Amino acid sequence: MHDERRRIEERVQRLHDQRIKTAIYAATVPLEVEAWQAPGEPVPFAEAAGASYAPFAMGTPWGPPWGTTWFRMRGQVPSEWAGRRVEAVIDLGFVGDWPGNQAEALVHLTDGRPLKAVNPLNQYVPIANPAVGGEEIDYLVEAASNPDILANDFAAPTPLGDVLTAGDKPLYTFQRADIAILDEDVWHLDLDIQVLRELMLELGEHDPRRHEIMHALDRAMDLLDLDDISGSAASVRELLQPALAKPAHASAHIVSGVGHAHIDSAWLWPIRETKRKTSRTFSNVTSLADEYEEFVFACSQAQQYEWVRDNYPHVWARIQESVKKGQWAPVGGMWVEADGNLPGGEALARQLIHGKRFFIEHFGIETKGVWLPDSFGYTAAYPQLARLAGNEWFLTQKISWNQTNRFPHHTFWWEGIDGTRIFTHFPPVDTYNARFSGEEMARAVRNYQEKGGATRSLAPFGWGDGGGGPTREIMERARRLKDLEGSARVEVEHPDAFFAKAREEYPDAPVWVGELYLELHRATYTSQARTKQGNRRSEHRLREAELWATTAALHAPGYAYPYAKLDRLWKTVLLHQFHDILPGSSIAWVHREAEAEYARVAQELEELTAEAVAALGAGGTRVFNTSPFDRAEVIRTAAGAPAYAEVPANGSAPVAVADPPQPVTVSGRVLDNGLVRVEVAEDGTVASVRDLRAGGREVLADKGNLLRLHTDLPNYWDAWDVDKHYRNRYTDLLDADSVTVVEEDPLLGAIRVERSFGKGSKITQTITLRAGSPRIDFETDIDWHEAEKFLKAGFPVDIRAPYSSAEIQFGHIQRPTHTNTSWEAARFEVSGHRWVHIAEPGYGVAVINDSTYGHDVSRTVRDDGGTTTTVRLSLVRAPRVPDPGADQGRHRFTYSLLPGATIDDAVAEGYALNLPLRVAEAAGAPEPVVSVDGEGVTVEAVKLADDESGDVVVRLYESRGGRAEGVLRTGFPLAGAQVTDLLERPLEDAELVDGGVPVALRPFQIVTLRLRRG
């Protein structure tokens, strides 16, 4: 037989694209359209319904960036169309090939009920089936003219990322608003041909099935009447049925299809637009559920449900009904799909607590898994936290984006830092916006790395980010692929069902231990530093407010614990931990609003804390310690003078309750407090740090606190990525404008270094040493005006450290300092929380920070044979896409060097730097709510139980990485205690001994105790 593949394939493609697709709508009549441009921000339906509309013609430009245009569309179904499937078809002037992130609309009936959305690949609105002759159509359509930020492929900065800079030039040209007959035979033929053609092109050139499909399609094109596509469609479909009816091989891979619409809670649009995106997509989804009884849609992010509940009650009611039918599956169990690295430990716990509670309260459903497809790496604390919240499985996809190393598994057990394991899956289809194309199905089978051990994978399908979610075309593809020779089999089902089957067939799946590090998007640890600082400080202010509110509730008659306010503030912070807000990868509008929200949160939490402390009574000046460790340190009083205090963990004490230790001396540029001696060089770097407790050991191998300015232009994704070549071009900031002693007191000494550099940028650093502490603080004030630059602060330490330890949620992880393998070399930029620690046997050093997450650790061997291990903190970047002004302006933060530090020291000083002692007027000295006898048992949270029972809830963890035993004691009469899950539900009774609760923890174990007051 002659090889005619090229002729047939090209013929099929042309007839499909140019004749069949264009015949899907058999007849059309235009709708009458009027328009009203809403001024400013979006308006409620009632206001739009009462507005004055003007005639609007097709082909007219509309929609300034971030604007809202309401269209009134009216018409009548022709009486002769009775019995046909009739739809409204609306093309707002969609651009490019991006199915979301541009113009979108929500169609309402005149009584305000949302009907369905209109999106680039989902342009229809059902009218009737069968249509009633003469039916009147009257719609109010809310259309959003959101700019397509991705239009230039992120190649250059754009002013469109903020309503303040975007201008008012119309973005779109309205193309179509018709009433149309959907020719169902042609529509189904279109899908038949798509599925067969795509399958054919993925099969091998010598596969008989490929040739069978090719010749069937060729014969079908012979049967197609080009002058009467509609009239011949049914017979063409009949000819193709044998090719579509052949069953899949018995060993065919099984793809569990789960409807999905990944909607970023903010990204290339502000939060206010996400509220509307969810209403549009969820309207589409509930409409699709009515058409396809087998349809199942998985949806995470309780915050998005709450927005719909509060703003779109009709859509909310439809969601509730779909959940009851089993077609809508709440998943994920988190408040939002948070960043996987940066939220603090308690914040990550609250993500799970608030998310799971929402689904239990509103749907009676306890979600079973963590659904987090699109975060930028995943902390090794996740397995334990997920299981403590009652989850059984974990899903993500993003690790497939690794630049260097291919992750070796798709289905596996993921083991966290404490030994907890959770069953985990990465969809080999390699997307969370699948559409069941032939290429996607072949890719899923080709990629799947569990062949021979397991047979099934999961595929989330549907258009995200404003694309409207799953479509009827995708559902039709799934039906055709349910059992089709040459393809994987598709089963549309609940993700819980997939995970149950996957675990049953593959119980001995391989184990991956430790973090899931994404070898990409490493700059998300640093970009938009003010957003990250707002998060860090909010987390610690929430801890402070909860502790002192609990103290006041226990000891101050008449004080009411602020349950509702704390709940609301927590949810605000959790929202901004979304994986495109906290990482710094959103447009300018998002980060401008985030900074304003963090300022508001800070003010409210300051007021709550002040109210709680004031409730304890007035009568003297006291110091309040929110840290879980006893503290003896220099503070500043309300008047600004230095003072010294010893304060118990979680408690308070008067100022100057102890004699100050050896005083600080200042001699030239040398600070000395009897513990360490610090010499500042003429160029403002740290020339020497001597640890006097270790016999005068020199800590540094070279200039300390070396500020290095790197050129920073990644290959792509400016705000997300820092590529390895950034290291190759840099300038060391060694020209100091001034080096001045600014404080010389027995309790503290300080030297200020001022520098100017670059495009008008300035850095002022105050290097401070306090009596009684070896910690050296670098209080930093930067006025930053650079572009495409990356600023690091380096500490080259004379230590041969085989690995670094970085704090993560409820513990720490160790990473090698060598680069023996490509896996280690790929970790050239990593994340951590409050501290990084390096050590050799007998001696260690910690670098501590109050708002920095990114860092790198490397080591070199010197000419003298010694080893230098260098820790560098990533301070600030200057990406220009998607926010051209990212990080510009003022930054204020502190980082510290802690010589002679153990892991215990790093943990304690990390808390201390992030939880400054509070000086306030208060009378009594109530005992701390809780205290712990024993080393390594660290109190992470103290609060009243969320059920408002008055019980006290305490979250503890083992912080050193070893076993720990201790006794938890309370500052109130204790009647009983229970160990609970994260949601404060009892797991077992806890023993009481001598009025305390004995605690025994394995390495990094988290325990939540619920304490009943006597």
Side-chain angles (χ1 to χ4, degrees):
M1 184 180 291
H2 300 299
D3 185 356
E4 295 194 276
R5 284 179 298 166
R6 180 174 178 180
R7 175 190 67 81
I8 295 171
E9 290 170 5
E10 291 177 350
R11 180 192 190 198
V12 172
Q13 180 175 354
R14 181 175 186 184
L15 292 180
H16 171 261
D17 294 350
Q18 297 182 11
R19 299 302 175 89
I20 295 171
K21 289 192 77 68
T22 58
I24 287 175
Y25 286 106
T28 64
V29 294
L31 286 159
E32 177 186 331
V33 181
E34 297 175 303
W36 172 68
Q37 175 69 46
E41 287 297 283
V43 301
F45 174 86
E47 182 177 341
S52 296
Y53 287 73
F56 184 88
M58 293 300 99
T60 301
W62 71 280
W66 306 112
T68 301
T69 304
W70 285 81
F71 295 98
R72 185 153 198 175
M73 301 182 183
R74 285 179 282 199
Q76 186 175 36
V77 178
S79 57
E80 60 271 23
W81 290 5
R84 305 294 296 275
R85 185 166 179 171
V86 182
E87 300 175 345
V89 183
I90 302 169
D91 183 347
L92 301 172
F94 302 115
V95 296
D97 58 359
W98 183 244
N101 186 38
Q102 53 167 294
E104 307 168 52
L106 182 60
V107 179
H108 300 76
L109 298 175
T110 54
D111 62 3
R113 283 179 294 159
L115 186 59
K116 185 181 171 295
V118 174
N119 311 93
L121 298 178
N122 197 343
Q123 299 180 15
Y124 75 96
V125 180
I127 293 175
N129 188 19
V132 177
E135 180 180 351
E136 297 285 344
I137 306 301
D138 194 351
Y139 294 150
L140 277 172
V141 180
E142 181 192 31
S145 49
N146 300 330
D148 182 4
I149 304 294
L150 283 175
N152 66 357
D153 204 28
F154 279 176
T158 173
L160 292 174
D162 197 329
V163 69
L164 301 180
T165 59
D168 58 5
K169 182 180 179 181
L171 295 175
Y172 300 100
T173 300
F174 212 120
Q175 297 296 324
R176 181 180 189 183
D178 295 330
I179 305 172
I181 296 174
L182 178 71
D183 191 321
E184 296 189 72
D185 282 334
V186 177
W187 181 64
H188 280 289
L189 175 60
D190 167 63
L191 289 158
D192 291 344
I193 292 174
Q194 285 188 53
V195 168
L196 285 172
R197 178 177 172 273
E198 290 173 3
L199 172 59
M200 172 187 71
L201 295 176
E202 293 300 324
L203 294 171
E205 63 179 82
H206 300 298
D207 191 321
R209 175 66 165 155
R210 175 170 182 152
H211 293 266
E212 175 189 292
I213 294 172
M214 179 180 68
H215 287 288
L217 288 169
D218 195 29
R219 291 192 299 272
M221 297 305 97
D222 290 338
L223 192 58
L224 186 71
D225 186 343
L226 301 187
D227 297 319
D228 186 10
I229 301 293
S230 178
S232 60
S235 58
V236 176
R237 288 199 70 209
E238 186 176 355
L239 185 151
L240 291 174
Q241 281 313 296
L244 286 163
K246 284 201 169 185
H249 298 305
S251 59
H253 184 74
I254 301 168
V255 172
S256 294
V258 180
H260 186 228
H262 180 78
I263 304 177
D264 288 307
S265 289
W267 179 30
L268 305 179
W269 51 86
I271 287 172
R272 70 91 148 142
E273 196 55 33
T274 312
K275 296 177 182 179
R276 301 201 293 177
K277 286 179 182 285
T278 54
S279 69
R280 300 175 196 127
T281 295
F282 295 174
S283 296
N284 287 353
V285 169
T286 52
S287 177
L288 192 65
D290 292 337
E291 291 187 64
Y292 294 88
E293 62 180 12
E294 74 271 30
F295 176 58
V296 177
F297 178 72
C299 186
S300 66
Q301 304 196 77
Q303 172 69 87
Q304 294 185 0
Y305 287 77
E306 185 175 81
W307 285 333
V308 173
R309 183 199 68 187
D310 294 345
N311 299 297
Y312 297 90
H314 294 293
V315 179
W316 174 248
R318 286 158 60 180
I319 291 172
Q320 290 180 307
E321 186 62 29
S322 291
V323 171
K324 290 177 184 176
K325 292 179 180 178
Q327 292 185 284
W328 187 295
V331 295
M334 296 176 70
W335 191 247
V336 295
E337 289 184 10
D339 179 82
N341 289 310
L342 306 181
E346 188 60 24
L348 206 52
R350 302 297 175 100
Q351 287 282 358
L352 292 159
I353 292 165
H354 284 290
K356 291 201 65 145
R357 279 223 187 98
F358 185 92
F359 295 132
I360 292 169
E361 177 182 349
H362 294 286
F363 302 117
I365 289 176
E366 178 155 0
T367 55
K368 293 184 179 180
V370 177
W371 182 280
L372 198 56
D374 188 33
S375 191
F376 311 139
Y378 306 90
T379 171
Y382 252 125
Q384 182 179 195
L385 285 167
R387 293 299 296 272
L388 285 173
N391 292 297
E392 300 173 358
W393 54 260
F394 188 97
L395 178 136
T396 185
Q397 180 264 319
K398 204 70 171 190
I399 300 299
S400 67
W401 287 35
N402 274 4
Q403 275 182 328
T404 306
N405 298 285
R406 184 182 182 189
F407 194 81
H409 314 299
H410 282 106
T411 302
F412 59 99
W413 289 97
W414 180 20
E415 182 178 312
I417 53 173
D418 73 311
T420 299
R421 293 179 177 178
I422 192 165
F423 196 70
T424 302
H425 181 68
F426 295 171
V429 71
D430 208 11
T431 178
Y432 41 81
N433 296 308
R435 62 184 186 92
F436 296 133
S437 68
E439 189 276 332
E440 287 174 348
M441 299 299 287
R443 184 198 318 147
V445 175
R446 183 173 60 250
N447 282 353
Y448 190 56
Q449 301 202 72
E450 316 311 318
K451 297 182 186 77
T455 63
R456 60 181 68 239
S457 66
L458 186 144
F461 65 86
W463 305 116
D465 284 340
T471 64
R472 60 188 180 184
E473 289 79 12
I474 300 177
M475 285 302 300
E476 289 293 337
R477 285 172 171 269
R479 284 181 169 180
R480 287 160 174 78
L481 294 169
K482 185 175 183 178
D483 192 14
L484 182 62
E485 183 187 356
S487 173
R489 290 199 294 262
V490 172
E491 298 178 357
V492 177
E493 61 182 348
H494 195 295
D496 286 349
F498 160 77
F499 274 95
K501 294 173 184 176
R503 182 170 174 175
E504 182 180 5
E505 77 164 352
Y506 202 32
D508 57 346
V511 176
W512 180 269
V513 178
E515 67 180 328
L516 294 174
Y517 176 84
L518 177 63
E519 296 173 0
L520 194 74
H521 293 356
R522 302 167 182 91
T524 59
Y525 315 144
T526 306
S527 297
Q528 299 284 3
R530 283 185 294 269
T531 296
K532 291 174 170 59
Q533 185 178 76
N535 173 75
R536 175 78 71 85
R537 294 187 178 172
S538 294
E539 289 176 347
H540 289 81
R541 285 178 173 125
L542 280 161
R543 174 197 178 99
E544 187 176 29
E546 286 184 337
L547 174 63
W548 300 115
T550 302
T551 305
L554 293 173
H555 298 289
Y559 176 82
Y561 190 85
Y563 292 101
K565 289 181 179 179
L566 286 169
D567 180 80
R568 174 175 51 79
L569 291 167
W570 260 115
K571 288 175 178 175
T572 299
V573 174
L574 299 180
L575 165 60
H576 288 85
Q577 291 175 341
F578 179 74
H579 65 253
D580 275 308
I581 303 178
L582 182 53
S585 48
S586 288
I587 56 172
W589 191 347
V590 172
H591 292 288
R592 172 169 57 82
E593 290 190 332
E595 289 178 35
E597 281 292 277
Y598 284 130
R600 182 185 62 78
V601 167
Q603 180 178 345
E604 287 198 51
L605 287 172
E606 175 61 31
E607 291 170 357
L608 288 181
T609 303
E611 289 169 5
V613 170
L616 297 173
T621 302
R622 297 186 68 83
V623 182
F624 293 81
N625 175 20
T626 310
S627 164
F629 296 93
D630 296 342
R631 291 169 62 182
E633 64 184 69
V634 175
I635 60 168
R636 289 191 186 275
T637 65
Y644 190 77
E646 286 187 351
V647 198
N650 305 307
S652 69
V655 176
V657 298
D659 293 331
Q662 183 172 335
V664 177
T665 61
V666 181
S667 177
R669 297 188 305 275
V670 178
L671 308 175
D672 189 325
N673 67 356
L675 302 175
V676 294
R677 181 181 300 123
V678 181
E679 179 183 348
V680 178
E682 288 185 13
D683 60 14
T685 61
V686 178
S688 172
V689 174
R690 294 279 181 182
D691 189 342
L692 304 179
R693 302 164 301 168
R697 172 176 177 152
E698 176 58 60
V699 174
L700 299 177
D702 204 338
K703 294 178 181 289
N705 192 39
L706 177 63
L707 298 173
R708 178 167 287 180
L709 187 67
H710 294 267
T711 297
D712 179 25
L713 184 65
N715 293 343
Y716 197 55
W717 301 101
D718 291 19
W720 290 258
D721 286 351
V722 55
D723 288 334
K724 203 168 188 176
H725 54 250
Y726 89 91
R727 293 180 169 183
N728 300 336
R729 190 174 182 85
Y730 59 85
T731 299
D732 289 339
L733 303 185
L734 296 176
D735 295 326
D737 298 337
S738 64
V739 180
T740 311
V741 174
V742 293
E743 192 123 29
E744 191 170 355
D745 185 276
L747 290 179
L748 62 87
I751 296 173
R752 181 167 298 155
V753 179
E754 297 180 327
R755 304 180 188 277
S756 302
F757 64 95
K759 299 180 179 180
S761 297
K762 295 183 178 180
I763 300 180
T764 300
Q765 290 194 304
T766 304
I767 305 169
T768 303
L769 185 65
R770 293 171 175 82
S773 173
R775 196 181 84 197
I776 307 154
D777 290 345
F778 298 83
E779 299 169 48
T780 304
D781 187 327
I782 303 180
D783 188 13
W784 179 252
H785 298 287
E786 304 308 299
E788 297 171 349
K789 293 292 189 289
F790 192 12
L791 182 65
K792 292 245 183 186
F795 291 93
V797 180
D798 189 5
I799 282 179
R800 182 172 174 81
Y803 56 81
S804 65
S805 299
E807 186 189 40
I808 63 170
Q809 301 84 348
F810 296 104
H812 59 268
I813 59 170
Q814 295 176 339
R815 300 180 177 110
T817 54
H818 61 72
T819 54
N820 282 357
T821 72
S822 59
W823 292 88
E824 289 131 9
R827 286 175 166 84
F828 60 83
E829 181 77 6
V830 291
S831 66
H833 284 206
R834 291 170 291 211
W835 53 266
V836 180
H837 183 265
I838 55 172
E840 62 188 22
Y843 196 81
V845 170
V847 178
I848 300 164
N849 72 85
D850 72 356
S851 59
T852 300
Y853 295 89
H855 66 275
D856 68 83
V857 181
S858 60
R859 69 178 188 182
T860 59
V861 176
R862 305 186 299 272
D863 291 341
D864 65 3
T867 298
T868 300
T869 303
T870 301
V871 178
R872 300 199 309 156
L873 293 181
S874 303
L875 302 183
V876 65
R877 294 185 71 234
R880 302 181 67 210
V881 178
D883 175 7
D887 283 312
Q888 298 299 300
R890 296 295 289 275
H891 300 272
R892 297 181 179 89
F893 50 82
T894 299
Y895 55 88
S896 308
L897 183 70
L898 186 64
T902 64
I903 290 290
D904 280 348
D905 296 329
V907 173
E909 291 300 322
Y911 275 105
L913 185 63
N914 284 268
L915 291 166
L917 294 173
R918 171 180 289 267
V919 179
E921 293 296 314
E927 290 185 52
V929 177
V930 294
S931 58
V932 178
D933 298 337
E935 299 297 323
V937 180
T938 300
V939 176
E940 175 63 12
V942 178
K943 59 190 284 293
L944 291 191
D946 291 339
D947 62 7
E948 302 189 22
S949 63
D951 290 351
V952 175
V953 171
V954 180
R955 193 134 32 240
L956 311 163
Y957 73 105
E958 195 289 315
S959 57
R960 296 181 297 182
R963 296 186 180 274
E965 295 185 0
V967 177
L968 181 80
R969 304 198 181 278
T970 63
F972 58 90
L974 182 62
Q978 293 176 318
V979 178
T980 74
D981 66 3
L982 289 185
L983 277 69
E984 300 172 11
R985 300 175 296 194
L987 298 175
E988 60 183 72
D989 288 335
E991 181 184 11
L992 298 187
V993 176
D994 297 330
V997 182
V999 179
L1001 303 179
R1002 66 176 181 270
F1004 301 129
Q1005 182 181 2
I1006 304 166
V1007 169
T1008 303
L1009 293 175
R1010 186 179 182 120
L1011 309 175
R1012 191 171 71 255
R1013 295 151 62 183

